[in-house]
Amino acid sequence: MRKPAVILRGIRKSFPVKNVLDGLFLTVDEGDLFGIVGPKGSGKTSILKVILGLSRIQSGKVIFGPQYGGGLANGRAACASVLSEPFIPGIAVARYLQKFPFFQKPEVWEKAQTAFATAGFEKQHKRYRDLTAVEKRRFAIALALMKEPKILLLDQPFDGLSEDEAAELGRLLEKLNGEQGITIIFTAETLDQALLAARRIAFVQHGTASRTQDTCDLMGANPSEQASC
């Protein structure tokens, strides 16, 4: 039986005129490739921010598995995220990064090259504005991978991608999950987007989550197909 990676227990987050998360319960297991599906305004991004400690809650509890060292601080230190695209002016990606003292350290730049390779980002000498949408996603994920995370959170990674680009990114997430052993939690507005990568899915509506479902069950796979799901 797999260990839980993160548990959200009775999370409530409110603004004066709206409950963003309304008593949310959700469990993501270690090793999951987990999709959170819901329409705009359903609370998906807020879930990620609560996990990361970027959004205050009125009640409830966030619990990380003890395998990350125990406590919220250690659990969140095991996380990396891509919540939005980075902003880079009109110069080559590598040149921009190397302007910062942090990236001028040989050991850090070596780690960056490893992260680029893992994320399949091969265009570091191109200007950011000249990258394709999926290349920009690969670059952002590579930066997150430099933290060597155990848990990776992505907010709507498939949004705005073409069908081929979305399939390409889905394969990358499956690779990071399968080969690197990273627990991945991502949001999507449609089930079709979630099915590009997720193995388990929770549907969110009005700040509450439905029962988690395996994607094999959602696709109605017959017994002979279950092994490949």
Side-chain angles (χ1 to χ4, degrees):
M1 186 174 180
R2 291 190 298 177
K3 303 175 183 177
V6 60
I7 301 169
L8 302 182
R9 186 175 292 169
I11 301 295
R12 190 176 301 278
K13 175 176 177 55
S14 302
F15 292 122
V17 296
K18 181 181 180 182
N19 287 332
V20 180
L21 299 175
D22 193 10
L24 178 89
F25 286 83
L26 192 67
T27 298
V28 178
D29 289 336
E30 186 177 31
D32 261 346
L33 214 178
F34 195 95
I36 299 173
V37 181
K40 186 175 180 180
S42 59
K44 304 184 301 300
T45 301
S46 292
I47 293 172
L48 301 187
K49 289 183 176 180
V50 166
I51 293 172
L52 293 166
L54 301 177
S55 186
R56 296 181 64 181
I57 58 176
Q58 277 69 51
S59 61
K61 197 169 185 180
V62 179
I63 304 168
F64 286 93
Q67 64 269 33
Y68 306 120
L72 281 176
N74 286 329
R76 285 168 175 156
C79 296
S81 64
V82 179
L83 302 185
S84 61
E85 288 189 354
F87 171 77
I88 294 181
I91 60 176
V93 169
R95 182 181 170 195
Y96 176 77
L97 293 178
Q98 289 177 322
K99 291 173 62 136
F100 296 92
F102 176 74
F103 282 96
Q104 291 171 11
K105 302 173 184 177
E107 66 275 15
V108 173
W109 192 244
E110 183 177 345
K111 181 180 285 191
Q113 297 304 307
T114 299
F116 289 155
T118 301
F121 179 66
E122 302 173 345
K123 307 294 185 180
Q124 57 181 292
H125 300 297
K126 289 181 66 174
R127 293 180 299 180
Y128 185 78
R129 68 187 183 192
D130 294 332
L131 300 176
T132 66
V134 73
E135 287 169 351
K136 290 178 179 178
R137 304 292 158 82
R138 286 183 180 273
F139 172 64
I141 289 171
L143 293 182
L145 292 178
M146 288 187 65
K147 286 189 63 178
E148 299 178 350
K150 302 297 183 184
I151 305 171
L152 179 63
L153 299 96
L154 307 168
D155 193 22
Q156 296 193 190
F158 298 104
D159 191 42
L161 300 184
S162 69
E163 184 176 338
D164 288 343
E165 288 176 328
E168 180 184 330
L169 185 63
R171 291 190 292 271
L172 172 61
L173 299 189
E174 290 174 346
K175 174 186 173 183
L176 295 177
N177 177 253
E179 297 182 9
Q180 302 293 320
I182 301 173
T183 300
I184 298 176
I185 307 169
F186 70 91
T187 65
E189 288 194 358
T190 69
L191 177 59
D192 285 345
Q193 287 180 335
L195 290 175
L196 289 164
R199 296 197 181 91
R200 294 207 303 149
I201 289 175
F203 295 91
V204 178
Q205 186 79 21
H206 305 304
T208 60
S210 69
R211 180 180 177 181
T212 301
Q213 294 180 266
D214 290 340
T215 54
C216 283
D217 296 335
L218 289 167
M219 292 185 291
N222 62 47
S224 65
E225 295 172 320
Q226 291 284 344
S228 64
C229 285

